[in-house]
Amino acid sequence: MDHGARVAIKQLFKLQEPQANVCVKGWVRSVRRGKGVAFITLNDGSCLASLQIVLNPELENYEAASKVGTGACLAIVGQVVASPAAGQDWEMQAQDIEIIGAADDDYPLQKKRHSFEYLRTIAHLRPRSNTFGAVFRLRSALAFAVHKFFQERGFIYVQTPIITANDCEGAGEMFRVSSLDPLNPPKNEGKVDWSEDFFGERTGLTVSGQLQGELFATAFSDIYTFGPTFRAENSNTSRHAAEFWMIEPEIAFADLGANCQLGEDFLRYLVVYALEHCQEDLDFFNQHIEKGLRDKLESLAQAEFRTISYTEAVAQLQKSGQSFEFPVEWGQDLQSEHERYLTEKIFSGPVFVTDYPKQIKAFYMRMNDDNQTVAAMDLLVPRVGEIIGGSQREERYDILQNRMAEQGIAADDLDWYLDIRRWGTCPHAGFGLGFERLLMYLTGMENIRDVIPFPRTPGHAHF
């Protein structure tokens, strides 16, 4: 069989007239056998829709080809013609079929609909399903859009380290990276002697590229990172994963207001990009995953982004008369139920909450003049709550040093971070957007495990 150049099924659906001697390759979704004819639906992942292949008994290997199992891989040469069937413009009349890879009866993705929980147990096969095909096509498109947004604005893309000696968030939820013998590590005065380790000190997988990103912002002005981050948090909620991807821009000569504006522009850009470039997959999500998804996204694309201080937000929640599971109290972090009430009931749209109490925020956030709050911001959106979190950074050497001391962070561990405040300091700000949280919002998928190819959660790292 002379395959010729493979044509993506997505391209065939754009044809304006019939075309002969076309080669397609893909995986069988279904086989139907009738009287003197058989039909195969073939999908190659280029789009949601599958191509119907018509097999006539004159085919040399008709018997074998018409009995292939679901999941088999085929190469087919034929003529693309107008389809008489409803719901499709084109089909292929097969002239030559090669079975590249057979599939036996144990292939898990048969016709019946499988739960997402079951599909997580076969993560190596779930990309072949309609739902996960759509998820990962959209993920790819949005990853490109992230880079497009920042590159169009002159930002420098920085690859910050995955292995680090610094816990940016200070929560102690880092995965340890070590070459020491775990059963017999070297010790000094009864404690593990990390100076004998590969890097000569305790290291772990990064929880954020922010601190290193700040260094680059003080050289290039506008930078962003986009890469994997890790949290050794023993959480089994639908919103937490041990490995996930973060987008973290950092902008010099910027205050909290500029940071909020960048966050608004960024989120709006990604939503509009999805609506314009991922229509087929969004229609699938709208129909099968979350009714009203497209309306939600179109509303966000056109919405006014409001701003309220944390103190004002607490006051509004307290006087709302709403009964919350977690009491609303100044000095306590807002819970998801509080965030959703703000954005869904009070503002009916996206809202920035700013100026949080210093005791519930990280050491690097800029102290406000009241000495009680810091220049932090969270962007809340309907149905999700927080989707972006960031702050203006503390650029003043003495105040940053004091904040670190208050939180028990040794200055020697972050001497390089303090140096930037000594040599050419400037106001700067940034935020973090969890890529998977964004994808959950854009797809309507309710579990973070279903928007990342191979989820890493407590007890699960098989694939």
Side-chain angles (χ1 to χ4, degrees):
M1 177 182 186
D2 182 11
H3 296 164
R6 180 182 75 89
V7 179
I9 289 174
K10 179 180 180 179
Q11 298 305 316
L12 293 183
F13 290 138
K14 298 178 181 178
L15 289 177
Q16 299 298 312
E17 58 187 24
Q19 188 168 328
N21 296 317
V22 175
C23 176
V24 294
K25 300 178 184 180
W27 294 268
V28 174
R29 288 291 177 86
S30 68
V31 180
R32 291 182 293 116
R33 197 165 171 171
K35 195 171 183 179
V37 68
F39 302 93
I40 291 175
T41 54
L42 197 76
N43 188 277
D44 65 359
S46 63
C47 61
L48 180 67
S50 297
L51 178 66
Q52 176 167 279
I53 313 293
V54 183
L55 284 66
N56 292 307
E58 293 77 18
L59 275 172
E60 183 177 341
N61 59 346
Y62 174 79
E63 284 300 316
S66 63
K67 294 178 180 178
V68 295
T70 302
C73 183
L74 305 180
I76 304 172
V77 172
Q79 183 176 11
V80 179
V81 298
S83 175
Q88 57 187 21
D89 294 330
W90 301 101
E91 65 183 22
M92 174 177 279
Q93 299 283 344
Q95 297 166 334
D96 197 359
I97 295 182
E98 178 185 354
I99 302 173
I100 298 175
D104 59 32
D105 293 339
D106 292 332
Y107 180 68
L109 297 177
Q110 301 294 341
K111 284 186 178 180
K112 70 175 183 177
R113 186 180 179 91
H114 298 290
S115 69
F116 294 151
E117 290 82 0
Y118 170 72
L119 290 172
R120 287 176 212 137
T121 69
I122 53 168
H124 56 308
L125 293 175
R126 67 178 182 167
R128 296 193 196 179
S129 68
N130 282 338
T131 298
F132 289 97
V135 166
F136 297 128
R137 273 189 300 271
L138 187 137
R139 183 182 176 110
S140 174
L142 266 291
F144 174 78
V146 167
H147 289 291
K148 192 170 186 287
F149 173 86
F150 289 115
Q151 292 294 325
E152 287 175 352
R153 287 156 180 76
F155 280 62
I156 297 293
Y157 176 36
V158 180
Q159 297 81 31
T160 52
I162 290 176
I163 298 174
T164 179
N166 309 112
D167 181 359
C168 176
E169 299 300 322
E173 295 168 347
M174 296 178 71
F175 286 102
R176 190 61 52 206
V177 174
S178 175
S179 62
L180 297 180
D181 182 349
L183 299 179
N184 189 29
K187 294 187 176 181
N188 186 359
E189 297 182 355
K191 297 182 179 180
V192 175
D193 186 359
W194 295 105
S195 67
E196 296 292 320
D197 205 354
F198 185 90
F199 293 105
E201 59 183 319
R202 287 171 63 107
T203 53
L205 298 179
T206 185
V207 300
S208 170
Q210 177 203 313
L211 301 186
Q212 291 88 353
E214 287 186 51
L215 307 184
F216 270 69
T218 59
F220 296 99
S221 298
D222 299 325
I223 68 96
Y224 71 104
T225 75
F226 185 12
T229 52
F230 308 85
R231 300 281 168 88
E233 181 180 2
N234 190 17
S235 175
N236 285 287
T237 77
S238 63
R239 290 165 55 86
H240 289 86
E243 175 184 300
F244 54 97
W245 284 62
M246 282 283 285
I247 304 148
E248 297 179 290
E250 202 73 31
I251 47 177
F253 316 111
D255 59 10
L256 188 64
N259 200 32
C260 290
Q261 187 62 57
L262 179 64
E264 175 182 340
D265 294 345
F266 182 46
L267 182 59
R268 197 190 303 274
Y269 181 94
L270 295 178
V271 171
V272 170
Y273 189 92
L275 287 167
E276 292 180 351
H277 296 274
C278 307
Q279 295 183 30
E280 182 187 34
D281 291 324
L282 285 181
D283 286 342
F284 173 84
F285 296 130
N286 189 73
Q287 182 177 354
H288 298 285
I289 304 300
E290 181 186 331
K291 302 294 184 182
L293 175 70
R294 286 194 66 97
D295 290 341
K296 177 188 78 172
L297 297 181
E298 288 169 356
S299 294
L300 184 66
Q302 301 171 12
E304 177 187 0
F305 285 56
R306 310 287 289 277
T307 301
I308 187 173
S309 73
Y310 167 89
T311 300
E312 294 168 331
V314 167
Q316 293 240 25
L317 290 167
Q318 288 176 333
K319 72 178 184 181
S320 68
Q322 177 71 17
S323 177
F324 296 107
E325 179 182 354
F326 296 94
V328 180
E329 184 178 343
W330 199 97
Q332 300 297 317
D333 214 348
L334 297 179
Q335 303 296 318
S336 293
E337 59 175 335
H338 307 145
E339 295 172 341
R340 291 191 59 178
Y341 191 87
L342 285 168
T343 187
E344 293 170 16
K345 302 298 183 182
I346 295 180
F347 290 102
S348 300
V351 57
F352 285 100
V353 178
T354 65
D355 303 309
Y356 283 77
K358 66 179 181 179
Q359 65 267 27
I360 61 173
K361 289 297 181 180
F363 72 93
Y364 51 74
M365 297 186 177
R366 194 181 199 276
M367 185 71 70
N368 287 329
D369 292 341
D370 60 12
N371 203 37
Q372 298 296 317
T373 62
V374 292
M377 65 85 157
D378 287 340
L379 174 57
L380 315 180
V381 294
R383 304 194 196 189
V384 170
E386 180 194 343
I387 198 166
I388 286 177
S391 71
Q392 183 175 342
R393 316 310 190 189
E394 183 56 78
E395 87 280 10
R396 297 164 294 185
Y397 180 85
D398 293 342
I399 296 177
L400 178 59
Q401 214 175 25
N402 291 337
R403 286 281 287 151
M404 290 170 64
E406 286 174 6
Q407 298 193 21
I409 299 170
D412 290 346
D413 293 342
L414 289 174
D415 52 355
W416 51 272
Y417 187 70
L418 285 164
D419 278 349
I420 296 303
R421 276 71 179 175
R422 297 169 57 206
W423 302 320
T425 190
C426 69
H428 59 287
F431 62 77
L433 169 64
F435 193 42
E436 284 74 25
R437 295 267 181 102
L438 170 71
L439 292 170
M440 290 171 66
Y441 187 73
L442 292 175
T443 62
M445 299 295 282
E446 295 183 348
N447 198 307
I448 195 170
R449 296 167 178 83
D450 297 328
V451 292
I452 192 167
F454 300 99
R456 298 292 183 252
T457 54
H460 296 89
H462 181 63
F463 298 98

